[in-house]
Amino acid sequence: GVAMFWTQISMGAEGLARMTEAQRQVHEATPAWLNVAFAIAVFGGVLGALGMLVGKRWAVTMFFVSLLALLVQMIGGYLVTPAWDAYGPAGLVMPAVLILIALLFWRYAQKCVVRGWLV
C-alpha cells in the first residue's frame, strides 16, 4: 500500500507516458482529497498493524479509520473520475478485495481486544 501510494503521488511524465489514455485520464482527474483518503487508508492500516504488533487496542481504531478512508477513496474514485470508463466492472474486483481485507483486519483486531490480547 505504501509503495502504491508513493507511486501515485510521485508519478512523473515518464510514468504517465506508460499508462493507457484511459488510465491517464483517471490519474489526471483524481482530486487531491482522494489522495488524502488514499494516504489515510494506507497509513491507518500500517499504524493498525504496528499497534497489533505491540499489543495496543488503538489498533482497532486505526484499522477502522483505514477502512473508512478506503471506502471514501474507492467510492469517490468511481464517482468523480472516469474510472468506470477506464476499467469497467472488472475494475471493481481489486477494490472489493481491499475492502474485504480491511474489514477482516478490523474485525480481527476487535476480537483480539475481547480476548485480552490487546491492551
Side-chain angles (χ1 to χ4, degrees):
V2 173
M4 290 305 297
F5 174 71
W6 180 252
T7 300
Q8 171 79 9
I9 65 163
S10 66
M11 185 165 312
E14 185 178 304
L16 287 171
R18 287 192 300 262
M19 292 180 161
T20 66
E21 180 60 29
Q23 291 170 330
R24 193 170 24 261
Q25 288 175 357
V26 171
H27 181 80
E28 291 170 352
T30 301
W33 63 267
L34 272 180
N35 287 327
V36 170
F38 191 2
I40 293 169
V42 167
F43 293 106
V46 168
L47 288 173
L50 289 173
M52 292 282 289
L53 284 173
V54 297
K56 299 298 181 183
R57 70 181 326 142
W58 50 258
V60 175
T61 303
M62 291 295 96
F63 282 132
F64 184 69
V65 166
S66 178
L67 174 61
L68 289 180
L70 181 62
L71 287 167
V72 168
Q73 178 199 2
M74 296 303 170
I75 293 168
Y78 272 87
L79 290 177
V80 301
T81 71
W84 188 259
D85 295 333
Y87 310 118
L92 293 175
V93 173
M94 186 57 137
V97 168
L98 292 173
I99 290 167
L100 177 63
I101 290 169
L103 181 63
L104 291 173
F105 276 136
W106 175 53
R107 294 291 297 144
Y108 179 69
Q110 288 178 316
K111 287 182 181 185
C112 289
V113 169
V114 169
R115 292 179 178 153
W117 298 345
L118 302 177
V119 293

